[in-house]
Amino acid sequence: MRLNRIGVGAAILAASAFGASAADLPVKYKAPPPDPWSWSGLYGGVNAGYSFGRDTFDQSLAGIPPGREQQASGRVLPTGGVFGGQLGYNWQAGRWVLGLEGDAQWTGQRDPGCGGFECIQNYNAEVGAARVHHELEWFATARARLGLANAGYLLYVTGGGAWAGVRETATLQFDDSVASSTVRNTVAGWAFGGGIEGRLWQNWTVKVEYLHLDFRPTTTTTRIATTGGLLPFDETNTVRSHVTDNIVRVGLNYRLWNTQAFAPLPVDPAANAWRWTGVYGGLNGGYGVGNTSFREFKYFDPAAPPLAGELTHYISSFAPQKVSPQGAIAGGQFGYNWQTGHVVLGVEGDAQWSGQKDTACAMSCFTAGGPIETVSQRFNWLATVRGRLGYADRGYLLFVTAGGAWAEVEETDVFSGAAVYTSTFKQTKGGWVAGGGIEAWLFGNWTGKIEYLHFDLGNINHTFATPDPGFPTMGTQSTVRNDVIRVGVNYKLGGG
């Protein structure tokens, strides 16, 4: 019995000693399984955004004045929301990604504008106006994509074919005689743009994208006739239009299935280690499309007695008219970010040179010896001071931004008839700006971004004296807007 107890005790001691020795042995580390994510495969999703178009047109009317065709230029600036979906397929080789994508969009873009022959509301309630209204009802694209993948995001350019449905309504009004005609055209053209797409979680990605659409010019001829009113008419109306559009949108994609032919790229540890906190500065360049709605006025001599039946002591535009300064912009920015977790707060200031300019017909632009009146406008420079709020993950930052904005607006008003009267002035206008974009870590302390900004610069009222005894004072009243899309690079100087 005593020998049995000794044997059991010895066995327990041996087991304990073996366990202690095993605990001291090195444990082999087992790495977690690799993330199977890559950009290869079929995906689909939805998107929503904002569009700002610029449709220029020439309008011809046979018989105004009787027997003589008139032709003048005008523009409408359709803006509105867009919503739709996309389906595509990507192939990834190393860091390069090649893809095909198609999308279809509903759009609420629409805008009316005067054609330029006449847009007059007279002192005695007489009206003469030739108006054109454009609606972009839908568009679709089929494009190729070429991108460079880095950590959890994809930087890409895209281009291909585009199609759109345009509804055009032409309206003539002479006093109380009003008639219109409507046609629908399907127009074809091309699309080009770029964006950044970043992985959110599992198979979900988010993208910010800009597209420029340019459609082939079209010519439509309609008959506009009325037998009612004081001045019945029967006119042949021809409109030759060129529709262009700019789309800024945010999209959400889901990878439906993956046909990965290459081993997935590991997440770059430098991207995971990147923090946005710190001071930064950089350069940017892009394109701007202005949207200025204006009315023109010719004021009667205030010392003259009122005319019989006079309602107003001036002649004015019957409806708002449009001038759209567009062109390249370039400049720089300086800012500071604070990051806590995935949330980034920042402040940024920027200053831009601008080459945006445009000239449009005003109240009257008759080709047969009549008055020709134009308004020319340009942006010389732009500047903003804004706050930024963003979400950071895997080396990219998705952000919204808003703040104050300033610009120097230069305008030239020309009134010609028996004589030519010209006035040029500059004003520094202040207002607000709002937008958003996405910024991504590139390498070292360098980041790149794509950004959209909408400017609201308030109103401009301008009057000037002329030697004309009938109209000693003339002027314009304008509401100034601007839409800017730009890309930039930043270098983090320090902090964080």
Side-chain angles (χ1 to χ4, degrees), residues 3-31:
L3 291 176
N4 287 341
R5 290 196 198 101
I6 293 173
V8 171
I12 292 174
L13 289 175
S16 300
F18 178 79
S21 300
D24 293 335
L25 293 175
V27 177
K28 185 177 181 181
Y29 173 73
K30 184 177 181 180

PDB file of all heavy atoms in Angstrom, residues 3-31:
ATOM      1  N   LEU A   3       3.897   1.446  -1.052  1.00  0.00           N
ATOM      2  CA  LEU A   3       4.569   1.568  -2.357  1.00  0.00           C
ATOM      3  C   LEU A   3       3.642   2.146  -3.408  1.00  0.00           C
ATOM      4  O   LEU A   3       4.031   2.940  -4.259  1.00  0.00           O
ATOM      5  CB  LEU A   3       5.086   0.187  -2.797  1.00  0.00           C
ATOM      6  CG  LEU A   3       6.255  -0.377  -1.980  1.00  0.00           C
ATOM      7  CD1 LEU A   3       6.590  -1.781  -2.448  1.00  0.00           C
ATOM      8  CD2 LEU A   3       7.471   0.535  -2.122  1.00  0.00           C
ATOM      9  N   ASN A   4       2.360   1.800  -3.339  1.00  0.00           N
ATOM     10  CA  ASN A   4       1.386   2.342  -4.300  1.00  0.00           C
ATOM     11  C   ASN A   4       1.239   3.850  -4.147  1.00  0.00           C
ATOM     12  O   ASN A   4       1.162   4.597  -5.125  1.00  0.00           O
ATOM     13  CB  ASN A   4       0.029   1.658  -4.113  1.00  0.00           C
ATOM     14  CG  ASN A   4       0.053   0.228  -4.629  1.00  0.00           C
ATOM     15  OD1 ASN A   4       0.933  -0.122  -5.418  1.00  0.00           O
ATOM     16  ND2 ASN A   4      -0.902  -0.597  -4.179  1.00  0.00           N
ATOM     17  N   ARG A   5       1.201   4.317  -2.850  1.00  0.00           N
ATOM     18  CA  ARG A   5       1.078   5.768  -2.642  1.00  0.00           C
ATOM     19  C   ARG A   5       2.300   6.485  -3.169  1.00  0.00           C
ATOM     20  O   ARG A   5       2.202   7.560  -3.766  1.00  0.00           O
ATOM     21  CB  ARG A   5       0.946   6.060  -1.139  1.00  0.00           C
ATOM     22  CG  ARG A   5      -0.375   5.621  -0.552  1.00  0.00           C
ATOM     23  CD  ARG A   5      -0.564   6.308   0.799  1.00  0.00           C
ATOM     24  NE  ARG A   5      -1.573   5.627   1.573  1.00  0.00           N
ATOM     25  CZ  ARG A   5      -1.336   4.778   2.545  1.00  0.00           C
ATOM     26  NH1 ARG A   5      -0.079   4.467   2.869  1.00  0.00           N
ATOM     27  NH2 ARG A   5      -2.333   4.223   3.218  1.00  0.00           N
ATOM     28  N   ILE A   6       3.459   5.916  -2.961  1.00  0.00           N
ATOM     29  CA  ILE A   6       4.697   6.543  -3.470  1.00  0.00           C
ATOM     30  C   ILE A   6       4.677   6.609  -4.989  1.00  0.00           C
ATOM     31  O   ILE A   6       5.039   7.591  -5.611  1.00  0.00           O
ATOM     32  CB  ILE A   6       5.934   5.760  -2.969  1.00  0.00           C
ATOM     33  CG1 ILE A   6       6.055   5.912  -1.455  1.00  0.00           C
ATOM     34  CG2 ILE A   6       7.193   6.261  -3.649  1.00  0.00           C
ATOM     35  CD1 ILE A   6       7.130   5.036  -0.839  1.00  0.00           C
ATOM     36  N   GLY A   7       4.199   5.530  -5.618  1.00  0.00           N
ATOM     37  CA  GLY A   7       4.157   5.520  -7.087  1.00  0.00           C
ATOM     38  C   GLY A   7       3.214   6.569  -7.634  1.00  0.00           C
ATOM     39  O   GLY A   7       3.517   7.256  -8.615  1.00  0.00           O
ATOM     40  N   VAL A   8       2.007   6.727  -7.015  1.00  0.00           N
ATOM     41  CA  VAL A   8       1.044   7.749  -7.474  1.00  0.00           C
ATOM     42  C   VAL A   8       1.624   9.136  -7.298  1.00  0.00           C
ATOM     43  O   VAL A   8       1.531  10.002  -8.160  1.00  0.00           O
ATOM     44  CB  VAL A   8      -0.289   7.579  -6.710  1.00  0.00           C
ATOM     45  CG1 VAL A   8      -1.217   8.752  -7.014  1.00  0.00           C
ATOM     46  CG2 VAL A   8      -0.950   6.280  -7.081  1.00  0.00           C
ATOM     47  N   GLY A   9       2.279   9.380  -6.142  1.00  0.00           N
ATOM     48  CA  GLY A   9       2.875  10.702  -5.907  1.00  0.00           C
ATOM     49  C   GLY A   9       3.959  11.001  -6.921  1.00  0.00           C
ATOM     50  O   GLY A   9       4.086  12.117  -7.412  1.00  0.00           O
ATOM     51  N   ALA A  10       4.784  10.006  -7.214  1.00  0.00           N
ATOM     52  CA  ALA A  10       5.848  10.231  -8.209  1.00  0.00           C
ATOM     53  C   ALA A  10       5.258  10.559  -9.573  1.00  0.00           C
ATOM     54  O   ALA A  10       5.767  11.406 -10.320  1.00  0.00           O
ATOM     55  CB  ALA A  10       6.739   8.988  -8.277  1.00  0.00           C
ATOM     56  N   ALA A  11       4.169   9.888  -9.908  1.00  0.00           N
ATOM     57  CA  ALA A  11       3.533  10.164 -11.219  1.00  0.00           C
ATOM     58  C   ALA A  11       2.999  11.582 -11.278  1.00  0.00           C
ATOM     59  O   ALA A  11       3.119  12.277 -12.293  1.00  0.00           O
ATOM     60  CB  ALA A  11       2.404   9.149 -11.442  1.00  0.00           C
ATOM     61  N   ILE A  12       2.390  12.055 -10.188  1.00  0.00           N
ATOM     62  CA  ILE A  12       1.855  13.433 -10.173  1.00  0.00           C
ATOM     63  C   ILE A  12       2.986  14.435 -10.305  1.00  0.00           C
ATOM     64  O   ILE A  12       2.908  15.419 -11.046  1.00  0.00           O
ATOM     65  CB  ILE A  12       1.061  13.643  -8.881  1.00  0.00           C
ATOM     66  CG1 ILE A  12      -0.212  12.789  -8.899  1.00  0.00           C
ATOM     67  CG2 ILE A  12       0.704  15.117  -8.703  1.00  0.00           C
ATOM     68  CD1 ILE A  12      -0.986  12.818  -7.589  1.00  0.00           C
ATOM     69  N   LEU A  13       4.089  14.215  -9.560  1.00  0.00           N
ATOM     70  CA  LEU A  13       5.229  15.120  -9.658  1.00  0.00           C
ATOM     71  C   LEU A  13       5.817  15.137 -11.063  1.00  0.00           C
ATOM     72  O   LEU A  13       6.171  16.191 -11.599  1.00  0.00           O
ATOM     73  CB  LEU A  13       6.306  14.700  -8.641  1.00  0.00           C
ATOM     74  CG  LEU A  13       5.959  14.949  -7.172  1.00  0.00           C
ATOM     75  CD1 LEU A  13       7.050  14.364  -6.271  1.00  0.00           C
ATOM     76  CD2 LEU A  13       5.829  16.440  -6.925  1.00  0.00           C
ATOM     77  N   ALA A  14       5.891  13.997 -11.702  1.00  0.00           N
ATOM     78  CA  ALA A  14       6.450  13.936 -13.069  1.00  0.00           C
ATOM     79  C   ALA A  14       5.560  14.686 -14.052  1.00  0.00           C
ATOM     80  O   ALA A  14       6.034  15.407 -14.935  1.00  0.00           O
ATOM     81  CB  ALA A  14       6.604  12.467 -13.488  1.00  0.00           C
ATOM     82  N   ALA A  15       4.225  14.510 -13.902  1.00  0.00           N
ATOM     83  CA  ALA A  15       3.295  15.214 -14.800  1.00  0.00           C
ATOM     84  C   ALA A  15       3.406  16.711 -14.613  1.00  0.00           C
ATOM     85  O   ALA A  15       3.379  17.485 -15.571  1.00  0.00           O
ATOM     86  CB  ALA A  15       1.863  14.732 -14.528  1.00  0.00           C
ATOM     87  N   SER A  16       3.532  17.163 -13.343  1.00  0.00           N
ATOM     88  CA  SER A  16       3.658  18.599 -13.077  1.00  0.00           C
ATOM     89  C   SER A  16       4.925  19.158 -13.692  1.00  0.00           C
ATOM     90  O   SER A  16       4.946  20.232 -14.280  1.00  0.00           O
ATOM     91  CB  SER A  16       3.652  18.853 -11.566  1.00  0.00           C
ATOM     92  OG  SER A  16       2.455  18.388 -10.997  1.00  0.00           O
ATOM     93  N   ALA A  17       6.034  18.406 -13.535  1.00  0.00           N
ATOM     94  CA  ALA A  17       7.304  18.865 -14.094  1.00  0.00           C
ATOM     95  C   ALA A  17       7.237  18.969 -15.608  1.00  0.00           C
ATOM     96  O   ALA A  17       7.741  19.902 -16.223  1.00  0.00           O
ATOM     97  CB  ALA A  17       8.424  17.920 -13.661  1.00  0.00           C
ATOM     98  N   PHE A  18       6.585  17.977 -16.248  1.00  0.00           N
ATOM     99  CA  PHE A  18       6.460  17.985 -17.711  1.00  0.00           C
ATOM    100  C   PHE A  18       5.613  19.170 -18.168  1.00  0.00           C
ATOM    101  O   PHE A  18       5.932  19.845 -19.141  1.00  0.00           O
ATOM    102  CB  PHE A  18       5.838  16.676 -18.177  1.00  0.00           C
ATOM    103  CG  PHE A  18       5.630  16.631 -19.665  1.00  0.00           C
ATOM    104  CD1 PHE A  18       6.698  16.361 -20.512  1.00  0.00           C
ATOM    105  CD2 PHE A  18       4.379  16.888 -20.228  1.00  0.00           C
ATOM    106  CE1 PHE A  18       6.512  16.328 -21.876  1.00  0.00           C
ATOM    107  CE2 PHE A  18       4.198  16.856 -21.579  1.00  0.00           C
ATOM    108  CZ  PHE A  18       5.265  16.578 -22.427  1.00  0.00           C
ATOM    109  N   GLY A  19       4.534  19.431 -17.384  1.00  0.00           N
ATOM    110  CA  GLY A  19       3.685  20.593 -17.746  1.00  0.00           C
ATOM    111  C   GLY A  19       4.446  21.883 -17.638  1.00  0.00           C
ATOM    112  O   GLY A  19       4.310  22.779 -18.471  1.00  0.00           O
ATOM    113  N   ALA A  20       5.257  22.036 -16.598  1.00  0.00           N
ATOM    114  CA  ALA A  20       6.035  23.265 -16.444  1.00  0.00           C
ATOM    115  C   ALA A  20       7.022  23.427 -17.578  1.00  0.00           C
ATOM    116  O   ALA A  20       7.239  24.509 -18.103  1.00  0.00           O
ATOM    117  CB  ALA A  20       6.749  23.239 -15.094  1.00  0.00           C
ATOM    118  N   SER A  21       7.670  22.290 -17.990  1.00  0.00           N
ATOM    119  CA  SER A  21       8.628  22.372 -19.097  1.00  0.00           C
ATOM    120  C   SER A  21       7.926  22.746 -20.391  1.00  0.00           C
ATOM    121  O   SER A  21       8.426  23.530 -21.200  1.00  0.00           O
ATOM    122  CB  SER A  21       9.348  21.019 -19.254  1.00  0.00           C
ATOM    123  OG  SER A  21      10.030  20.698 -18.069  1.00  0.00           O
ATOM    124  N   ALA A  22       6.725  22.179 -20.608  1.00  0.00           N
ATOM    125  CA  ALA A  22       5.987  22.484 -21.834  1.00  0.00           C
ATOM    126  C   ALA A  22       5.591  23.946 -21.876  1.00  0.00           C
ATOM    127  O   ALA A  22       5.582  24.570 -22.930  1.00  0.00           O
ATOM    128  CB  ALA A  22       4.748  21.582 -21.923  1.00  0.00           C
ATOM    129  N   ALA A  23       5.272  24.515 -20.711  1.00  0.00           N
ATOM    130  CA  ALA A  23       4.875  25.924 -20.687  1.00  0.00           C
ATOM    131  C   ALA A  23       6.024  26.824 -21.071  1.00  0.00           C
ATOM    132  O   ALA A  23       5.828  27.924 -21.571  1.00  0.00           O
ATOM    133  CB  ALA A  23       4.357  26.285 -19.288  1.00  0.00           C
ATOM    134  N   ASP A  24       7.284  26.354 -20.796  1.00  0.00           N
ATOM    135  CA  ASP A  24       8.446  27.168 -21.127  1.00  0.00           C
ATOM    136  C   ASP A  24       8.854  27.063 -22.589  1.00  0.00           C
ATOM    137  O   ASP A  24       9.713  27.806 -23.055  1.00  0.00           O
ATOM    138  CB  ASP A  24       9.628  26.751 -20.242  1.00  0.00           C
ATOM    139  CG  ASP A  24       9.378  27.097 -18.779  1.00  0.00           C
ATOM    140  OD1 ASP A  24       8.573  28.030 -18.538  1.00  0.00           O
ATOM    141  OD2 ASP A  24       9.976  26.440 -17.919  1.00  0.00           O
ATOM    142  N   LEU A  25       8.282  26.100 -23.341  1.00  0.00           N
ATOM    143  CA  LEU A  25       8.661  25.956 -24.749  1.00  0.00           C
ATOM    144  C   LEU A  25       8.121  27.121 -25.575  1.00  0.00           C
ATOM    145  O   LEU A  25       7.036  27.644 -25.298  1.00  0.00           O
ATOM    146  CB  LEU A  25       8.106  24.628 -25.299  1.00  0.00           C
ATOM    147  CG  LEU A  25       8.706  23.346 -24.707  1.00  0.00           C
ATOM    148  CD1 LEU A  25       7.975  22.137 -25.271  1.00  0.00           C
ATOM    149  CD2 LEU A  25      10.205  23.276 -25.020  1.00  0.00           C
ATOM    150  N   PRO A  26       8.836  27.576 -26.640  1.00  0.00           N
ATOM    151  CA  PRO A  26       8.332  28.673 -27.486  1.00  0.00           C
ATOM    152  C   PRO A  26       7.083  28.233 -28.241  1.00  0.00           C
ATOM    153  O   PRO A  26       6.960  27.094 -28.684  1.00  0.00           O
ATOM    154  CB  PRO A  26       9.501  28.930 -28.441  1.00  0.00           C
ATOM    155  CG  PRO A  26      10.282  27.661 -28.464  1.00  0.00           C
ATOM    156  CD  PRO A  26      10.139  27.061 -27.088  1.00  0.00           C
ATOM    157  N   VAL A  27       6.108  29.189 -28.353  1.00  0.00           N
ATOM    158  CA  VAL A  27       4.863  28.931 -29.063  1.00  0.00           C
ATOM    159  C   VAL A  27       4.989  29.481 -30.484  1.00  0.00           C
ATOM    160  O   VAL A  27       5.348  30.635 -30.677  1.00  0.00           O
ATOM    161  CB  VAL A  27       3.672  29.594 -28.340  1.00  0.00           C
ATOM    162  CG1 VAL A  27       2.387  29.377 -29.131  1.00  0.00           C
ATOM    163  CG2 VAL A  27       3.536  29.030 -26.931  1.00  0.00           C
ATOM    164  N   LYS A  28       4.689  28.667 -31.479  1.00  0.00           N
ATOM    165  CA  LYS A  28       4.771  29.092 -32.867  1.00  0.00           C
ATOM    166  C   LYS A  28       3.595  30.001 -33.198  1.00  0.00           C
ATOM    167  O   LYS A  28       2.443  29.642 -32.980  1.00  0.00           O
ATOM    168  CB  LYS A  28       4.777  27.874 -33.791  1.00  0.00           C
ATOM    169  CG  LYS A  28       4.986  28.257 -35.254  1.00  0.00           C
ATOM    170  CD  LYS A  28       5.068  27.026 -36.131  1.00  0.00           C
ATOM    171  CE  LYS A  28       5.299  27.430 -37.578  1.00  0.00           C
ATOM    172  NZ  LYS A  28       5.362  26.233 -38.455  1.00  0.00           N
ATOM    173  N   TYR A  29       3.875  31.267 -33.730  1.00  0.00           N
ATOM    174  CA  TYR A  29       2.817  32.247 -34.047  1.00  0.00           C
ATOM    175  C   TYR A  29       2.102  31.842 -35.319  1.00  0.00           C
ATOM    176  O   TYR A  29       2.713  31.507 -36.330  1.00  0.00           O
ATOM    177  CB  TYR A  29       3.420  33.649 -34.220  1.00  0.00           C
ATOM    178  CG  TYR A  29       2.423  34.672 -34.708  1.00  0.00           C
ATOM    179  CD1 TYR A  29       1.423  35.158 -33.862  1.00  0.00           C
ATOM    180  CD2 TYR A  29       2.485  35.135 -36.016  1.00  0.00           C
ATOM    181  CE1 TYR A  29       0.506  36.091 -34.305  1.00  0.00           C
ATOM    182  CE2 TYR A  29       1.571  36.064 -36.472  1.00  0.00           C
ATOM    183  CZ  TYR A  29       0.587  36.546 -35.608  1.00  0.00           C
ATOM    184  OH  TYR A  29      -0.310  37.469 -36.059  1.00  0.00           O
ATOM    185  N   LYS A  30       0.781  31.858 -35.263  1.00  0.00           N
ATOM    186  CA  LYS A  30      -0.030  31.555 -36.433  1.00  0.00           C
ATOM    187  C   LYS A  30      -0.658  32.847 -36.933  1.00  0.00           C
ATOM    188  O   LYS A  30      -1.494  33.447 -36.243  1.00  0.00           O
ATOM    189  CB  LYS A  30      -1.113  30.536 -36.086  1.00  0.00           C
ATOM    190  CG  LYS A  30      -1.924  30.105 -37.309  1.00  0.00           C
ATOM    191  CD  LYS A  30      -2.947  29.043 -36.946  1.00  0.00           C
ATOM    192  CE  LYS A  30      -3.729  28.621 -38.181  1.00  0.00           C
ATOM    193  NZ  LYS A  30      -4.743  27.580 -37.843  1.00  0.00           N
ATOM    194  N   ALA A  31      -0.249  33.326 -38.091  1.00  0.00           N
ATOM    195  CA  ALA A  31      -0.759  34.585 -38.645  1.00  0.00           C
ATOM    196  C   ALA A  31      -2.224  34.438 -39.003  1.00  0.00           C
ATOM    197  O   ALA A  31      -2.681  33.370 -39.386  1.00  0.00           O
ATOM    198  CB  ALA A  31       0.044  34.974 -39.891  1.00  0.00           C
TER     199      ALA A  31
END
